[in-house]
Coordinates of all heavy atoms in Angstrom, one line a residue:
M1 N -22.8 1.1 -25.7 CA -21.5 0.6 -25.4 C -21.1 0.9 -24.0 O -21.4 1.9 -23.4 CB -20.4 1.2 -26.3 CG -19.0 0.8 -26.0 SD -17.7 1.4 -27.0 CE -18.1 3.0 -27.4
K2 N -20.6 -0.1 -23.3 CA -20.2 0.1 -21.9 C -18.6 0.1 -21.8 O -18.0 -0.9 -22.4 CB -20.8 -1.0 -21.1 CG -20.4 -1.0 -19.6 CD -21.1 -2.0 -18.8 CE -20.8 -2.0 -17.4 NZ -21.5 -3.0 -16.6
L3 N -18.0 1.1 -21.2 CA -16.6 1.1 -21.0 C -16.4 0.8 -19.6 O -17.0 1.4 -18.6 CB -16.1 2.5 -21.3 CG -16.3 3.0 -22.7 CD1 -15.7 4.4 -22.9 CD2 -15.5 2.1 -23.7
E4 N -15.4 0.0 -19.3 CA -15.0 -0.3 -18.0 C -13.5 -0.1 -17.8 O -12.7 -0.6 -18.6 CB -15.4 -1.8 -17.6 CG -16.9 -2.0 -17.5 CD -17.2 -3.4 -17.1 OE1 -16.4 -4.0 -16.3 OE2 -18.3 -3.8 -17.4
L5 N -13.1 0.5 -16.7 CA -11.7 0.8 -16.5 C -11.4 0.6 -15.0 O -12.2 1.1 -14.2 CB -11.3 2.2 -16.9 CG -9.9 2.7 -16.6 CD1 -8.9 1.9 -17.3 CD2 -9.8 4.2 -16.9
E6 N -10.3 0.0 -14.7 CA -9.9 -0.2 -13.3 C -8.4 0.0 -13.3 O -7.7 -0.5 -14.2 CB -10.2 -1.5 -12.8 CG -9.7 -1.8 -11.4 CD -9.9 -3.3 -10.9 OE1 -9.7 -4.2 -11.8 OE2 -10.3 -3.4 -9.8
F7 N -7.9 0.9 -12.4 CA -6.4 1.0 -12.2 C -6.1 1.1 -10.8 O -6.8 1.5 -9.9 CB -5.9 2.2 -13.0 CG -6.4 3.6 -12.6 CD1 -5.7 4.3 -11.6 CD2 -7.5 4.2 -13.2 CE1 -6.1 5.5 -11.2 CE2 -8.0 5.4 -12.7 CZ -7.3 6.1 -11.8
T8 N -4.9 0.6 -10.5 CA -4.3 0.6 -9.2 C -2.9 1.1 -9.1 O -2.1 0.8 -10.0 CB -4.3 -0.9 -8.7 OG1 -5.6 -1.5 -8.8 CG2 -3.8 -1.0 -7.2
I9 N -2.7 2.0 -8.2 CA -1.3 2.6 -8.0 C -0.6 1.6 -7.2 O -1.0 1.2 -6.1 CB -1.4 4.0 -7.4 CG1 -2.0 5.0 -8.3 CG2 0.0 4.4 -6.9 CD1 -2.3 6.3 -7.8
T10 N 0.6 1.2 -7.7 CA 1.4 0.2 -6.9 C 2.7 0.8 -6.4 O 3.4 0.3 -5.5 CB 1.8 -1.0 -7.9 OG1 2.5 -0.5 -9.0 CG2 0.6 -1.7 -8.3
E11 N 3.2 1.9 -7.0 CA 4.5 2.5 -6.5 C 4.5 4.0 -6.8 O 4.1 4.4 -7.9 CB 5.6 1.8 -7.2 CG 7.0 2.1 -6.7 CD 8.1 1.3 -7.3 OE1 7.8 0.2 -7.8 OE2 9.2 1.8 -7.4
T12 N 4.9 4.8 -5.8 CA 5.1 6.3 -6.0 C 6.4 6.7 -5.6 O 7.1 6.1 -4.8 CB 4.0 7.0 -5.2 OG1 4.2 6.8 -3.8 CG2 2.6 6.6 -5.6
S13 N 6.9 7.8 -6.3 CA 8.2 8.4 -5.9 C 7.9 9.9 -6.1 O 6.8 10.3 -6.3 CB 9.3 8.0 -6.7 OG 9.2 8.5 -8.1
E14 N 9.0 10.7 -5.9 CA 8.8 12.1 -6.0 C 8.3 12.6 -7.4 O 7.6 13.6 -7.5 CB 10.1 12.8 -5.6 CG 10.0 14.3 -5.6 CD 11.4 14.9 -5.1 OE1 11.9 14.4 -4.1 OE2 11.8 15.9 -5.8
D15 N 8.8 11.9 -8.4 CA 8.4 12.3 -9.8 C 7.8 11.2 -10.7 O 7.6 11.5 -11.9 CB 9.7 12.9 -10.4 CG 10.9 11.9 -10.5 OD1 10.8 10.8 -10.0 OD2 11.9 12.3 -11.2
T16 N 7.5 10.0 -10.2 CA 6.8 9.1 -11.0 C 5.8 8.3 -10.1 O 5.9 8.2 -8.9 CB 7.8 8.0 -11.6 OG1 8.5 7.3 -10.5 CG2 8.8 8.6 -12.6
I17 N 4.8 7.8 -10.8 CA 3.8 6.9 -10.2 C 3.6 5.8 -11.1 O 3.4 6.0 -12.4 CB 2.4 7.7 -9.9 CG1 2.7 8.8 -8.9 CG2 1.4 6.8 -9.5 CD1 1.5 9.7 -8.6
E18 N 3.6 4.6 -10.6 CA 3.4 3.4 -11.4 C 2.2 2.6 -10.9 O 1.8 2.7 -9.8 CB 4.6 2.5 -11.4 CG 5.9 3.2 -11.9 CD 7.1 2.3 -11.9 OE1 7.0 1.1 -11.8 OE2 8.2 2.9 -11.8
G19 N 1.6 1.8 -11.8 CA 0.5 1.0 -11.4 C 0.1 0.1 -12.5 O 0.8 -0.1 -13.5
T20 N -1.1 -0.5 -12.3 CA -1.7 -1.4 -13.4 C -3.0 -0.9 -13.8 O -3.7 -0.1 -13.1 CB -1.8 -2.8 -12.7 OG1 -2.7 -2.7 -11.6 CG2 -0.5 -3.4 -12.3
F21 N -3.4 -1.3 -15.0 CA -4.8 -1.0 -15.4 C -5.4 -2.1 -16.1 O -4.8 -3.1 -16.6 CB -4.7 0.2 -16.4 CG -4.2 -0.2 -17.8 CD1 -5.1 -0.5 -18.8 CD2 -2.8 -0.2 -18.1 CE1 -4.6 -0.9 -20.1 CE2 -2.4 -0.5 -19.3 CZ -3.3 -0.9 -20.3
N22 N -6.7 -2.2 -16.1 CA -7.5 -3.2 -16.7 C -8.7 -2.5 -17.4 O -9.4 -1.7 -16.8 CB -8.1 -4.2 -15.7 CG -7.0 -5.1 -15.2 OD1 -6.4 -5.9 -15.9 ND2 -6.8 -5.0 -13.9
G23 N -8.9 -2.8 -18.6 CA -10.0 -2.2 -19.3 C -9.8 -2.4 -20.8 O -8.7 -2.3 -21.4
H24 N -10.9 -2.7 -21.5 CA -10.9 -3.0 -22.9 C -12.3 -2.9 -23.4 O -13.3 -3.2 -22.8 CB -10.3 -4.4 -23.2 CG -10.2 -4.7 -24.6 ND1 -9.3 -4.1 -25.4 CD2 -10.9 -5.5 -25.4 CE1 -9.4 -4.7 -26.7 NE2 -10.4 -5.5 -26.6
D25 N -12.4 -2.4 -24.6 CA -13.7 -2.5 -25.4 C -13.3 -2.8 -26.9 O -12.1 -2.8 -27.2 CB -14.5 -1.3 -25.3 CG -13.8 -0.1 -25.9 OD1 -14.0 0.1 -27.2 OD2 -13.0 0.6 -25.2
E26 N -14.3 -3.2 -27.6 CA -13.9 -3.7 -29.0 C -13.4 -2.6 -29.9 O -12.9 -2.9 -31.0 CB -15.2 -4.3 -29.6 CG -16.4 -3.4 -29.8 CD -17.6 -4.2 -30.3 OE1 -17.6 -4.6 -31.5 OE2 -18.5 -4.3 -29.5
Y27 N -13.6 -1.3 -29.5 CA -13.1 -0.2 -30.3 C -11.7 0.4 -29.9 O -11.3 1.3 -30.5 CB -14.2 0.9 -30.4 CG -15.5 0.3 -30.8 CD1 -16.5 0.1 -29.9 CD2 -15.7 0.0 -32.1 CE1 -17.8 -0.4 -30.3 CE2 -17.0 -0.5 -32.5 CZ -17.9 -0.7 -31.6 OH -19.2 -1.2 -32.0
G28 N -11.2 -0.1 -28.8 CA -9.9 0.5 -28.3 C -10.1 1.8 -27.6 O -9.1 2.5 -27.3
M29 N -11.3 2.2 -27.3 CA -11.5 3.5 -26.7 C -11.1 3.5 -25.2 O -10.7 4.6 -24.7 CB -13.0 3.9 -26.8 CG -13.4 4.2 -28.2 SD -15.2 4.6 -28.4 CE -15.4 6.0 -27.3
T30 N -11.2 2.4 -24.5 CA -10.9 2.4 -23.1 C -9.4 2.7 -22.9 O -9.1 3.4 -21.9 CB -11.2 1.0 -22.5 OG1 -12.6 0.7 -22.7 CG2 -10.9 1.0 -21.0
Q31 N -8.5 2.3 -23.7 CA -7.1 2.6 -23.6 C -6.9 4.1 -23.7 O -6.0 4.7 -23.0 CB -6.3 1.8 -24.6 CG -6.4 0.3 -24.4 CD -7.4 -0.3 -25.3 OE1 -8.5 0.2 -25.5 NE2 -7.1 -1.5 -25.8
M32 N -7.6 4.7 -24.6 CA -7.4 6.1 -24.8 C -7.9 6.9 -23.5 O -7.3 7.8 -23.0 CB -8.2 6.7 -26.0 CG -7.6 6.2 -27.3 SD -8.4 6.9 -28.8 CE -10.1 6.4 -28.6
I33 N -9.0 6.5 -23.0 CA -9.7 7.1 -21.9 C -8.8 6.8 -20.6 O -8.8 7.6 -19.7 CB -11.1 6.6 -21.7 CG1 -11.9 7.1 -22.9 CG2 -11.7 7.0 -20.4 CD1 -13.3 6.5 -23.0
A34 N -8.2 5.7 -20.6 CA -7.3 5.3 -19.4 C -6.3 6.4 -19.1 O -6.1 6.8 -17.9 CB -6.7 3.9 -19.6
S35 N -5.6 6.8 -20.1 CA -4.5 7.8 -19.9 C -5.1 9.1 -19.3 O -4.6 9.7 -18.4 CB -3.8 8.2 -21.2 OG -3.0 7.1 -21.6
Y36 N -6.3 9.5 -19.9 CA -6.9 10.7 -19.4 C -7.4 10.5 -17.9 O -7.2 11.4 -17.1 CB -8.0 11.1 -20.3 CG -8.8 12.3 -19.8 CD1 -8.3 13.6 -20.1 CD2 -10.0 12.2 -19.2 CE1 -8.9 14.7 -19.6 CE2 -10.7 13.4 -18.7 CZ -10.1 14.6 -18.9 OH -10.8 15.7 -18.5
A37 N -8.0 9.4 -17.7 CA -8.6 9.2 -16.3 C -7.5 9.1 -15.3 O -7.6 9.7 -14.2 CB -9.4 7.9 -16.3
I38 N -6.4 8.4 -15.6 CA -5.2 8.3 -14.7 C -4.6 9.7 -14.5 O -4.3 10.0 -13.3 CB -4.2 7.3 -15.2 CG1 -4.8 5.9 -15.2 CG2 -2.9 7.4 -14.4 CD1 -4.0 4.8 -15.9
T39 N -4.5 10.5 -15.5 CA -4.0 11.8 -15.4 C -4.8 12.7 -14.5 O -4.3 13.3 -13.6 CB -3.9 12.5 -16.8 OG1 -3.0 11.8 -17.6 CG2 -3.4 14.0 -16.7
Q40 N -6.1 12.6 -14.7 CA -7.0 13.4 -13.8 C -7.0 13.0 -12.3 O -7.0 13.8 -11.4 CB -8.5 13.3 -14.3 CG -8.7 14.0 -15.7 CD -8.2 15.5 -15.6 OE1 -8.6 16.3 -14.8 NE2 -7.4 15.8 -16.6
Y41 N -6.9 11.7 -12.1 CA -6.9 11.1 -10.7 C -5.6 11.6 -10.0 O -5.7 12.1 -8.9 CB -7.0 9.6 -10.8 CG -6.9 9.0 -9.4 CD1 -8.0 9.0 -8.6 CD2 -5.7 8.5 -8.9 CE1 -7.9 8.5 -7.3 CE2 -5.6 8.0 -7.6 CZ -6.7 7.9 -6.8 OH -6.6 7.4 -5.5
I42 N -4.5 11.4 -10.8 CA -3.2 11.8 -10.1 C -3.2 13.4 -9.8 O -2.7 13.8 -8.8 CB -2.0 11.4 -11.0 CG1 -1.9 9.8 -10.9 CG2 -0.7 12.1 -10.6 CD1 -0.9 9.3 -11.9
H43 N -3.7 14.1 -10.8 CA -3.8 15.6 -10.6 C -4.5 15.9 -9.3 O -4.1 16.7 -8.5 CB -4.4 16.2 -11.8 CG -4.7 17.7 -11.6 ND1 -3.7 18.6 -11.4 CD2 -5.9 18.4 -11.6 CE1 -4.3 19.8 -11.3 NE2 -5.6 19.7 -11.4
Q44 N -5.7 15.3 -9.1 CA -6.5 15.6 -8.0 C -6.0 15.0 -6.7 O -6.0 15.7 -5.7 CB -8.0 15.1 -8.2 CG -8.7 15.8 -9.3 CD -10.0 15.2 -9.7 OE1 -10.5 14.3 -9.0 NE2 -10.7 15.7 -10.6
K45 N -5.5 13.8 -6.7 CA -5.0 13.1 -5.5 C -3.7 13.6 -5.1 O -3.4 13.7 -3.8 CB -5.0 11.6 -5.8 CG -4.4 10.7 -4.7 CD -5.5 10.2 -3.8 CE -4.9 9.2 -2.8 NZ -5.6 9.1 -1.7
F46 N -2.7 13.8 -6.0 CA -1.4 14.2 -5.6 C -1.0 15.6 -5.9 O 0.1 16.1 -5.6 CB -0.4 13.3 -6.4 CG -0.5 11.8 -5.9 CD1 -1.3 11.0 -6.7 CD2 0.1 11.3 -4.8 CE1 -1.5 9.6 -6.3 CE2 0.0 10.0 -4.4 CZ -0.8 9.2 -5.2
G47 N -1.9 16.3 -6.6 CA -1.7 17.8 -6.9 C -0.6 18.0 -8.0 O -0.1 19.2 -8.1
W48 N -0.3 17.1 -8.8 CA 0.7 17.3 -9.8 C 0.0 18.2 -10.9 O -1.2 18.1 -11.2 CB 1.1 16.0 -10.4 CG 2.0 15.1 -9.6 CD1 2.4 15.4 -8.3 CD2 2.7 14.0 -10.0 NE1 3.2 14.4 -7.8 CE2 3.5 13.5 -8.8 CE3 2.8 13.2 -11.1 CZ2 4.3 12.4 -8.8 CZ3 3.6 12.1 -11.1 CH2 4.3 11.7 -10.0
D49 N 0.8 19.0 -11.5 CA 0.4 19.9 -12.5 C -0.2 19.2 -13.7 O 0.5 18.4 -14.4 CB 1.5 20.9 -12.9 CG 1.1 21.9 -14.0 OD1 0.0 21.9 -14.5 OD2 1.9 22.8 -14.2
N50 N -1.4 19.4 -14.0 CA -2.1 18.6 -15.1 C -1.5 18.9 -16.4 O -1.6 18.1 -17.3 CB -3.6 19.0 -15.0 CG -4.5 18.0 -15.7 OD1 -4.1 16.8 -15.8 ND2 -5.7 18.4 -16.1
E51 N -1.0 20.1 -16.6 CA -0.4 20.5 -17.9 C 0.9 19.8 -18.2 O 1.2 19.5 -19.3 CB -0.2 22.0 -18.0 CG -1.5 22.8 -17.8 CD -2.4 22.6 -18.9 OE1 -2.0 22.6 -20.1 OE2 -3.6 22.5 -18.6
K52 N 1.7 19.5 -17.2 CA 3.0 18.8 -17.4 C 2.9 17.3 -17.3 O 3.7 16.6 -17.9 CB 4.0 19.3 -16.3 CG 4.3 20.8 -16.4 CD 5.3 21.1 -15.4 CE 5.7 22.6 -15.4 NZ 6.6 22.9 -14.3
L53 N 2.0 16.8 -16.5 CA 1.9 15.4 -16.3 C 1.8 14.5 -17.5 O 1.0 14.9 -18.4 CB 0.6 15.1 -15.4 CG 0.2 13.8 -15.0 CD1 1.4 13.1 -14.2 CD2 -1.0 13.8 -14.1
G54 N 2.5 13.5 -17.6 CA 2.5 12.6 -18.7 C 2.3 11.1 -18.3 O 2.9 10.7 -17.3
V55 N 1.4 10.4 -19.0 CA 1.1 9.0 -18.7 C 1.3 8.2 -19.9 O 0.9 8.5 -21.0 CB -0.4 8.9 -18.2 CG1 -0.7 7.4 -18.0 CG2 -0.6 9.7 -16.9
S56 N 2.0 7.0 -19.8 CA 2.1 6.1 -20.8 C 1.6 4.7 -20.3 O 1.8 4.3 -19.2 CB 3.6 5.9 -21.2 OG 4.1 7.1 -21.8
L57 N 1.0 3.9 -21.3 CA 0.5 2.6 -21.0 C 1.3 1.6 -21.7 O 1.6 1.8 -22.9 CB -1.0 2.5 -21.4 CG -2.0 3.5 -20.9 CD1 -3.3 3.4 -21.5 CD2 -2.0 3.5 -19.4
F58 N 1.6 0.5 -21.0 CA 2.4 -0.6 -21.6 C 1.8 -2.0 -21.2 O 1.1 -2.1 -20.3 CB 3.8 -0.6 -21.0 CG 4.6 0.7 -21.2 CD1 4.5 1.7 -20.2 CD2 5.3 0.9 -22.4 CE1 5.2 2.9 -20.4 CE2 6.0 2.1 -22.6 CZ 5.9 3.1 -21.6
E59 N 2.1 -3.0 -22.1 CA 1.8 -4.3 -21.7 C 2.8 -4.7 -20.6 O 3.8 -4.1 -20.4 CB 1.8 -5.3 -22.9 CG 0.7 -5.0 -23.8 CD 0.6 -6.0 -25.0 OE1 1.5 -6.8 -25.1 OE2 -0.3 -5.9 -25.8
E60 N 2.5 -5.8 -19.9 CA 3.5 -6.2 -18.8 C 4.9 -6.5 -19.4 O 5.9 -6.4 -18.6 CB 2.9 -7.5 -18.1 CG 1.8 -7.2 -17.1 CD 0.4 -7.1 -17.8 OE1 0.3 -7.2 -19.0 OE2 -0.5 -6.9 -17.0
N61 N 5.0 -6.8 -20.6 CA 6.3 -7.1 -21.2 C 7.1 -5.9 -21.6 O 8.1 -5.9 -22.2 CB 6.2 -8.1 -22.4 CG 5.4 -7.6 -23.5 OD1 5.0 -6.4 -23.5 ND2 5.1 -8.4 -24.5
G62 N 6.5 -4.7 -21.4 CA 7.1 -3.4 -21.7 C 6.7 -2.9 -23.1 O 7.1 -1.8 -23.4
K63 N 6.0 -3.7 -23.9 CA 5.6 -3.2 -25.2 C 4.4 -2.2 -25.0 O 3.6 -2.3 -24.2 CB 5.1 -4.4 -26.0 CG 4.6 -4.1 -27.4 CD 4.1 -5.4 -28.0 CE 3.0 -5.1 -29.1 NZ 1.7 -5.5 -28.8
E64 N 4.4 -1.1 -25.9 CA 3.4 -0.2 -25.9 C 2.1 -0.9 -26.2 O 2.0 -1.8 -27.0 CB 3.6 1.0 -26.8 CG 4.6 1.9 -26.3 CD 4.6 3.2 -27.1 OE1 3.6 3.9 -27.1 OE2 5.6 3.5 -27.7
I65 N 1.0 -0.4 -25.6 CA -0.3 -1.1 -25.8 C -0.8 -0.9 -27.2 O -0.3 0.1 -27.9 CB -1.4 -0.6 -24.8 CG1 -1.7 0.9 -25.0 CG2 -1.0 -0.9 -23.4 CD1 -3.0 1.3 -24.4
D66 N -1.7 -1.8 -27.7 CA -2.3 -1.6 -29.0 C -3.8 -1.8 -28.8 O -4.3 -2.0 -27.7 CB -1.6 -2.5 -30.0 CG -1.7 -4.0 -29.7 OD1 -2.6 -4.4 -28.9 OD2 -0.8 -4.7 -30.1
C67 N -4.5 -1.9 -29.9 CA -6.0 -2.0 -29.7 C -6.4 -3.4 -29.2 O -7.6 -3.5 -28.7 CB -6.7 -1.7 -31.1 SG -6.2 -2.9 -32.4
D68 N -5.5 -4.3 -29.2 CA -5.9 -5.7 -28.6 C -5.5 -5.8 -27.1 O -5.8 -6.8 -26.5 CB -5.2 -6.8 -29.4 CG -5.7 -6.9 -30.8 OD1 -6.9 -6.6 -31.0 OD2 -4.9 -7.1 -31.7
S69 N -4.8 -4.9 -26.6 CA -4.3 -4.9 -25.2 C -5.6 -4.8 -24.3 O -6.3 -3.9 -24.4 CB -3.3 -3.8 -24.9 OG -2.2 -3.9 -25.7
K70 N -5.6 -5.6 -23.3 CA -6.7 -5.6 -22.3 C -6.3 -5.2 -20.9 O -7.1 -4.8 -20.1 CB -7.4 -7.0 -22.3 CG -8.0 -7.4 -23.6 CD -8.7 -8.7 -23.5 CE -9.2 -9.1 -24.9 NZ -9.8 -10.4 -24.9
H71 N -5.1 -5.2 -20.6 CA -4.5 -4.8 -19.3 C -3.0 -4.6 -19.5 O -2.4 -4.9 -20.5 CB -4.8 -5.9 -18.3 CG -4.3 -7.3 -18.7 ND1 -3.0 -7.7 -18.5 CD2 -5.0 -8.3 -19.3 CE1 -2.9 -8.9 -19.0 NE2 -4.1 -9.3 -19.4
G72 N -2.5 -4.0 -18.4 CA -1.0 -3.7 -18.5 C -0.6 -2.9 -17.3 O -1.3 -2.8 -16.3
I73 N 0.4 -2.1 -17.6 CA 1.0 -1.2 -16.5 C 1.0 0.2 -17.1 O 0.9 0.4 -18.2 CB 2.4 -1.6 -16.1 CG1 3.3 -1.6 -17.3 CG2 2.5 -3.0 -15.5 CD1 4.8 -1.8 -17.0
F74 N 1.0 1.1 -16.1 CA 1.1 2.5 -16.5 C 2.2 3.2 -15.7 O 2.5 2.8 -14.6 CB -0.2 3.3 -16.3 CG -0.6 3.6 -14.9 CD1 0.0 4.7 -14.3 CD2 -1.4 2.8 -14.2 CE1 -0.4 5.1 -13.0 CE2 -1.8 3.1 -12.9 CZ -1.2 4.3 -12.3
V75 N 2.8 4.2 -16.3 CA 3.8 5.0 -15.7 C 3.4 6.5 -15.9 O 3.0 6.8 -17.0 CB 5.2 4.8 -16.2 CG1 6.2 5.7 -15.5 CG2 5.6 3.3 -16.1
A76 N 3.3 7.2 -14.8 CA 3.0 8.7 -14.9 C 4.2 9.4 -14.5 O 4.9 9.1 -13.5 CB 1.8 9.0 -14.0
W77 N 4.6 10.4 -15.3 CA 5.8 11.3 -15.0 C 5.2 12.7 -14.6 O 4.5 13.2 -15.3 CB 6.7 11.4 -16.1 CG 7.4 10.1 -16.4 CD1 8.6 9.7 -15.9 CD2 7.1 9.0 -17.3 NE1 9.0 8.5 -16.4 CE2 8.0 8.1 -17.3 CE3 6.0 8.8 -18.2 CZ2 8.0 6.9 -18.0 CZ3 5.9 7.7 -18.9 CH2 6.9 6.7 -18.9
K78 N 5.7 13.2 -13.5 CA 5.3 14.5 -13.0 C 5.6 15.6 -14.0 O 4.7 16.5 -14.2 CB 6.0 14.8 -11.7 CG 5.6 16.1 -11.0 CD 6.2 16.2 -9.7 CE 5.6 17.3 -8.9 NZ 6.2 17.4 -7.5
D79 N 6.7 15.6 -14.7 CA 7.1 16.7 -15.6 C 7.0 16.2 -17.1 O 7.8 16.7 -17.9 CB 8.4 17.2 -15.3 CG 8.4 17.9 -13.9 OD1 7.5 18.6 -13.6 OD2 9.4 17.7 -13.1
G80 N 6.1 15.3 -17.4 CA 6.0 14.8 -18.8 C 6.8 13.6 -19.1 O 7.8 13.2 -18.4
V81 N 6.4 12.9 -20.1 CA 7.1 11.7 -20.6 C 8.5 12.0 -21.0 O 8.7 12.9 -21.8 CB 6.3 11.0 -21.7 CG1 7.0 9.7 -22.2 CG2 4.9 10.6 -21.3
P82 N 9.5 11.3 -20.5 CA 10.9 11.6 -20.9 C 11.1 11.3 -22.4 O 10.5 10.4 -22.9 CB 11.7 10.6 -20.0 CG 10.8 10.1 -19.0 CD 9.4 10.3 -19.5
A83 N 12.0 12.1 -22.9 CA 12.2 12.0 -24.4 C 13.2 10.8 -24.6 O 13.9 10.3 -23.8 CB 12.9 13.3 -24.9

């Protein structure tokens, strides 16, 4: 199985980073890996605390992704996903 993932950061602020992602496989594993990969990249690139950092993936219409989602947007929060 081949997994492919591409993401682009489009906007940054002091406590959030937003961007787009593309990636899909027939088992929905790419979406799970996307959150982890984005978290690791932001931790390394921006120095945000890996333990607090939260990432959520959405379709362009704001709906949370599901196993059929092939691309969308992501939002990363420096101090975790807001409640």
Side-chain angles (χ1 to χ4, degrees):
M1 173 177 39
K2 182 176 181 181
L3 300 176
E4 294 185 23
L5 171 65
E6 176 183 44
F7 63 90
T8 304
I9 292 174
T10 58
E11 189 174 332
T12 63
S13 73
E14 187 176 312
D15 58 354
T16 61
I17 294 176
E18 298 178 23
T20 59
F21 75 92
N22 290 294
H24 182 71
D25 66 89
E26 62 185 291
Y27 305 105
M29 293 175 59
T30 303
Q31 296 94 321
M32 292 185 302
I33 293 167
S35 290
Y36 179 77
I38 292 167
T39 298
Q40 293 303 311
Y41 178 80
I42 291 172
H43 171 66
Q44 292 176 7
K45 176 93 172 160
F46 297 93
W48 287 9
D49 184 350
N50 203 21
E51 300 296 317
K52 294 181 182 177
L53 179 59
V55 174
S56 294
L57 305 176
F58 302 93
E59 292 184 353
E60 281 84 359
N61 63 7
K63 177 181 157 249
E64 286 196 59
I65 64 161
D66 58 28
C67 62
D68 295 325
S69 302
K70 297 181 181 177
H71 52 83
I73 59 173
F74 73 85
V75 180
W77 289 273
K78 187 174 187 176
D79 294 318
V81 177

